[in-house]
Amino acid sequence: MSKPQLQMLRPHLRDVPPVGLPTGYVLRSFRDGDQAGWNAVLTLSFERQPGEMDFDRMMAADAAFRPERVKLIVDGDDEVAATASCWLDARFGEHTAMLHYVACHPDHSGQQLGTQVSLAVLHHAIAEGRQRTALFTDDYRIAAIKTYLRMDFEPRIGHRSHPKRWRRILEDLDWP
C-alpha cells in the first residue's frame, strides 16, 4: 500500500523575498507551445517515463488552470529550465494557494532555479489575494523539502503516517 504524500504549509505570505534570476534566464508565464518543454522538465525531474507527464491532461484540463499561474524560467534559447505553478485545491480552502509541480531540468541544476520559480509562485499567490501556500511532496525529494523549509514552509500532519516520516526526514536534514 502506498503512503499518502507529505504535506507542507507556509502559514502566511509575509516577507517573501524577491525573485532573483542568474544571468541568461527569464521568468515568464506559460504560453501555448510550452507544453513539450514542461513535459520534458517534469519527466526528467520526477524521473518518469516519456509520456507520463502530460501538460494538457495534468494541467490544462484542470479547472484551476490559467496560463499566468504556470511560471516558467527559460534560458536564452527560450527552453524551459524550471517550472512551478500557483494552483488551487479545495482540500486547502479558498484562501490557500498550492505550490504545484515544482521541477528543474537537470542541465540547469545548482542555480537555485527551483527556489526562484517557487518564489514567483508565492508572489503570484499574493497578487491573487491568497493568505498562505500549501504543497504536497514525497519523502525522497529531500533537496526539494530542504528548499521548502528554507522558504518557511512547515510540515503539516495530514495522515497518521506523517509524524514518523517527518521526524525521520527532519533528523536526516539536521533541521530543528
Side-chain angles (χ1 to χ4, degrees):
M1 184 173 167
S2 68
K3 296 180 270 187
Q5 284 190 294
L6 295 170
Q7 299 174 26
M8 298 185 82
L9 178 71
R10 191 176 200 275
H12 61 80
L13 289 171
R14 295 184 306 273
D15 305 319
V16 176
V19 175
L21 297 178
T23 303
Y25 292 96
V26 174
L27 172 69
R28 65 173 175 79
S29 295
F30 178 86
R31 302 191 290 235
D32 193 40
D34 288 328
Q35 291 90 332
W38 187 94
N39 293 346
V41 169
L42 270 285
T43 297
L44 291 167
S45 182
F46 286 89
E47 299 177 355
R48 299 297 172 93
Q49 296 299 312
E52 277 187 71
M53 306 309 268
D54 177 27
F55 184 88
D56 291 330
R57 178 178 50 80
M58 297 166 64
M59 302 292 282
D62 192 305
F65 174 69
R66 306 280 180 282
E68 64 274 11
R69 287 184 176 154
V70 180
K71 301 302 180 189
L72 305 173
I73 294 177
V74 297
D75 65 14
D77 295 323
D78 204 38
E79 296 293 324
V80 178
T83 184
S85 298
C86 182
W87 221 243
L88 303 178
D89 187 313
R91 292 174 285 188
F92 296 119
E94 69 177 285
H95 299 293
T96 304
M98 186 170 82
L99 179 59
H100 194 41
Y101 283 127
V102 179
C104 181
H105 194 290
D107 290 350
H108 299 273
S109 66
Q111 299 188 66
Q112 304 298 311
L113 297 182
T115 298
Q116 300 309 314
V117 76
S118 295
L119 288 172
V121 166
L122 296 183
H123 284 286
H124 189 90
I126 292 167
E128 285 193 1
R130 309 294 171 199
Q131 297 172 359
R132 62 198 149 272
T133 308
L135 61 86
F136 290 106
T137 192
D138 297 298
D139 303 56
Y140 69 92
R141 295 183 58 81
I142 298 299
I145 290 171
K146 194 171 188 176
T147 296
Y148 302 143
L149 289 166
R150 287 181 179 146
M151 293 176 64
D152 295 332
F153 280 87
E154 303 167 354
R156 182 172 185 249
I157 305 303
H159 184 267
R160 62 184 166 82
S161 70
H162 285 175
K164 182 178 180 181
R165 292 161 60 198
W166 275 120
R167 197 167 18 262
R168 182 185 47 76
I169 291 167
L170 296 174
E171 286 173 4
D172 288 350
L173 289 172
D174 196 27
W175 198 266

